[in-house]
Each structure stands twice: as C-alpha cells, then as structure tokens.
Amino acid sequence: MINTYIDHTLLNAEATLAQIQKLCEEAIAYKFATVCINSSYVSAAAKILEKSDVKVCTVVGFPLGATSTKSKVEEAKQAIKDGASEIDMVLHQGQLKSKEFQYVENDIKAVKNCIGTHTLKVILEICNLTDEEIAEACLIAEQAGADFVKTSTGFGSHGATLKAVQIMRENISNRVQIKASGGIRDSKTAQQYINIGVTRIGASSGIAIVEGTSSSTNY
C-alpha cells in the first residue's frame, strides 16, 4: 500500500498548531508512515499520535544544513526526548563542496550517535550538488551510519529527480534506504520512485497521492 511509504509533511514556517493537529489526524486516518514536522511541534504531535502506529519525524539543521554539529546534535537530542522517532538532518553542502569529507562524515556520525537506534535520514539537497557530489554524499552518509539518504528539503530550487535517485541507489548498499521528497504530488510520480527503489516518500500531497488525484503544493 502506497500510504505506508509516505511521510505526511508540513514544514512551512507559518504552520500553526491547528494545522499540525489536522496533519496528525490525516496521518492516522490514512495510516501514513510518519508526520514530518518542525521540531517545535514534536511534543504536541507525539501526544496526538501516541495511540496510533504513525511515527513522528522531524528535521535538524533545516533547511540549509550549515549550522554547527553541536547545534544539530542538541536539536536531535531534544527532538528524541520530545517524542520523535525519526530525524531528517540536512547535510553540510558547503563542506562537501570544499571536499572536507571528514567534516561531513563526522557531522552525520555525531547526530546518529546521539539518537542511537532511532532512524536517521540525511538530506542531500540534490539541486545544489553535481552528480559526483551526490555519489560522494551517499558514500559518506553510509559510512557515518545513516539509515536513509534523502533527496531534498523541499525548499531548494527543485526536489527529487529520477536521475538523482538512480545515482543514490548506485552508491549505497542495501542497508541504506532512500527517501524522495520535493515535487511528488500524484500517485503516478510516487510509484515511479518506488519502482526504482525508494522506500519513503516525503510529501505534503500524501492524501492526493493515495486518492489518485493531484496537488499543487511544493513539497
């Protein structure tokens, strides 16, 4: 069932508590994998979802990835304490482009170490990376212990592409999964990504995807 692939997402800066509550209620009704929200709403969402199978996913170092490792670690720690089960952290793109690969690996590893067995997804922001950098980022993320690599924040110039996902798949082992996000608004597009190995879809259009309609939202 396609619903089980979906992280039902609301990351807009202006999102209200009422909208988060609605998001959670929709996730319960449609049996989505998670809700993906900003960290200030994690505790509220965890309370709403506590009797359901829907997990809480939140973002760290979002959306730029250029915050310090220490700040990412503290943000992740607090999110887990507040009830998050999954962390989507943004890779430090500038350090990757500077070929400071050890920095990038240590940045990811520090977050993974602090959240333990909880799921860590590393957001590459593919719109800012070359094909070679996407490949390198995947290799680094796996080496650092990431559970997923993820295409996009949804706030860049474009989201997921089939080409990028294929590059990602070629540069990780079967231990690491792929999350595609950004611009996936209908079931046909979502299925295309699933067919090439994506196991999670980040979308604010989850209901449209499940119901076979389409949406005009960006994420």
Side-chain angles (χ1 to χ4, degrees):
M1 296 293 288
I2 202 166
N3 58 302
T4 62
Y5 286 80
I6 294 173
D7 287 349
H8 195 36
T9 301
L10 179 58
L11 293 168
N12 295 345
E14 70 274 18
T16 65
L17 183 58
Q19 289 173 319
I20 297 297
Q21 180 163 348
K22 181 183 178 188
L23 188 84
C24 292
E25 291 168 352
E26 290 169 347
I28 293 169
Y30 286 87
K31 296 182 170 59
F32 292 135
T34 77
V35 295
C36 186
I37 56 177
N38 285 301
S39 60
S40 60
Y41 287 127
V42 166
S43 57
K47 190 168 185 180
I48 298 166
L49 297 169
E50 63 183 346
K51 294 182 180 179
S52 78
D53 292 327
V54 180
K55 296 179 180 179
V56 179
C57 172
T58 194
V59 290
V60 164
F62 193 84
L64 302 179
T67 50
S68 69
T69 299
K70 183 176 180 180
S71 67
K72 289 179 180 178
V73 166
E74 292 304 318
E75 191 175 10
K77 280 182 183 177
Q78 188 62 48
I80 296 299
K81 183 178 179 181
D82 288 344
S85 297
E86 302 188 359
I87 300 292
D88 289 15
M89 72 167 284
V90 186
L91 175 136
H92 199 304
Q93 300 151 64
Q95 294 285 8
L96 181 73
K97 286 181 173 292
S98 300
K99 301 189 183 303
E100 296 291 341
F101 299 144
Q102 194 61 56
Y103 180 102
V104 178
E105 181 178 337
N106 290 344
D107 193 48
I108 297 167
K109 190 179 292 185
V111 175
K112 181 57 181 174
N113 287 347
C114 86
I115 68 171
T117 58
H118 295 285
T119 298
L120 177 64
K121 310 189 200 90
V122 176
I123 307 173
L124 309 187
E125 197 67 297
I126 59 166
C127 65
N128 295 335
L129 304 180
T130 65
D131 292 352
E132 292 76 15
E133 287 166 345
I134 292 170
E136 187 67 44
C138 288
L139 296 171
I140 293 169
E142 176 160 9
Q143 182 67 27
D147 301 289
F148 280 76
V149 284
K150 175 180 171 183
T151 60
S152 316
T153 64
F155 289 78
S157 59
H158 67 75
T161 68
L162 294 170
K163 179 185 177 184
V165 169
Q166 289 169 336
I167 294 168
M168 292 161 73
R169 183 73 274 166
E170 291 166 2
N171 287 279
I172 53 174
S173 72
N174 290 333
R175 184 190 71 76
V176 181
Q177 301 178 66
I178 299 174
K179 176 176 174 179
S181 60
I184 302 172
R185 306 184 184 97
D186 58 70
S187 59
K188 180 180 178 181
T189 304
Q191 193 62 54
Q192 286 179 315
Y193 282 101
I194 292 167
N195 289 346
I196 63 170
V198 165
T199 55
R200 198 72 68 84
I201 301 285
S204 55
S205 305
I207 294 173
I209 291 170
V210 170
E211 292 186 345
T213 59
S214 62
S215 170
S216 61
T217 57
N218 290 328
Y219 194 93

